[in-house]
Amino acid sequence: MIKTWGRSIEWFGLRLVEAYVEQVTDINQTNVFQSCFPIRFSVPPPAIPPDASVLPDYFEGCLLRHFGYVLDIYSSEYYPSSINVYYSYRSREFRHSQYVHKSGLAFAQIREGVGFNWLTNRLATTRQVHYNSQSDSQERPNQIMDELTNFCLDEQKLGAFWDETLRDLTKGGETSTSAFRPSA
């Protein structure tokens, strides 16, 4: 059945990836050999304009989407108290919004204004060992993390990204970050 799902969604450019059920910051409670890698911003994101109706982690989400991440789950605090959000497969609320890389090999959980908690999806890389060499399955997640880390540590690039994203937000348009493509 899972193979059928995988083939069905490939047609839409998606792929089915095995992933953790709990938030990545709690991974060390279930796997003592794995923990998150903190990625700090060299320049904090700008303040959200008072007239903008976006979530508090808007800028961080734009940065992750720019680097090929898609939303996994929003922080529990972003849902109104009148809505009872329940996931049968998740036992705890998520304290921070969490994104997964389009390859399925990595997760990033937003730490508002500070940076990200980054984690290799070992469930996906372990499965890849069967298809690729051992070194390929280890190197690709490292490359994904290095691209994001290097960008976040570069004050000029990150500052320019925040400025452009803020300009796009205040203009009311979509964020256009084509000038900030990650290097291949």
Side-chain angles (χ1 to χ4, degrees):
M1 178 165 43
I2 291 175
K3 286 181 182 181
T4 304
W5 291 347
R7 282 192 299 272
S8 297
I9 65 172
E10 275 180 358
W11 192 80
F12 296 100
L14 302 172
R15 76 187 230 194
L16 193 58
V17 177
E18 188 174 2
Y20 303 105
V21 173
E22 299 297 331
Q23 62 185 347
V24 298
T25 52
D26 295 339
I27 190 65
N28 59 356
Q29 295 174 7
T30 56
N31 182 350
V32 296
F33 299 108
Q34 193 172 12
S35 62
C36 290
F37 179 82
I39 299 175
R40 297 188 67 81
F41 296 141
S42 59
V43 177
I48 294 175
D51 59 338
S53 59
V54 296
L55 294 173
D57 62 6
Y58 172 78
F59 291 104
E60 294 92 332
C62 287
L63 182 59
L64 287 173
R65 285 190 299 277
H66 171 70
F67 277 89
Y69 290 79
V70 293
L71 181 67
D72 179 27
I73 190 165
Y74 278 123
S75 169
S76 300
E77 71 182 41
Y78 296 156
Y79 296 101
S81 59
S82 61
I83 297 176
N84 184 17
V85 178
Y86 172 76
Y87 295 97
S88 61
Y89 58 93
R90 291 190 170 150
S91 59
R92 289 181 239 162
E93 293 184 346
F94 275 47
R95 293 182 304 273
H96 309 284
S97 296
Q98 181 170 293
Y99 286 71
V100 60
H101 190 266
K102 64 184 176 184
S103 66
L105 299 178
F107 290 96
Q109 195 169 39
I110 294 174
R111 296 181 310 148
E112 271 179 46
V114 177
F116 307 111
N117 285 326
W118 193 92
L119 182 73
T120 299
N121 182 0
R122 294 265 160 90
L123 298 173
T125 58
T126 303
R127 196 163 289 247
Q128 268 200 342
V129 170
H130 301 293
Y131 303 111
N132 302 325
S133 73
Q134 175 75 27
S135 63
D136 286 347
S137 68
Q138 299 296 324
E139 286 301 314
R140 181 65 180 129
N142 292 343
Q143 291 170 352
I144 293 168
M145 182 182 71
D146 289 345
E147 283 179 351
L148 182 60
T149 302
N150 292 338
F151 193 88
C152 289
L153 293 176
D154 188 316
E155 289 182 20
Q156 285 185 309
K157 286 182 181 178
L158 185 59
F161 182 89
W162 294 145
D163 291 344
E164 184 174 331
T165 306
L166 180 60
R167 265 193 312 277
D168 289 344
L169 177 62
T170 55
K171 284 191 286 188
E174 291 292 316
T175 56
S176 163
T177 54
S178 58
F180 302 100
R181 293 273 177 241
S183 57

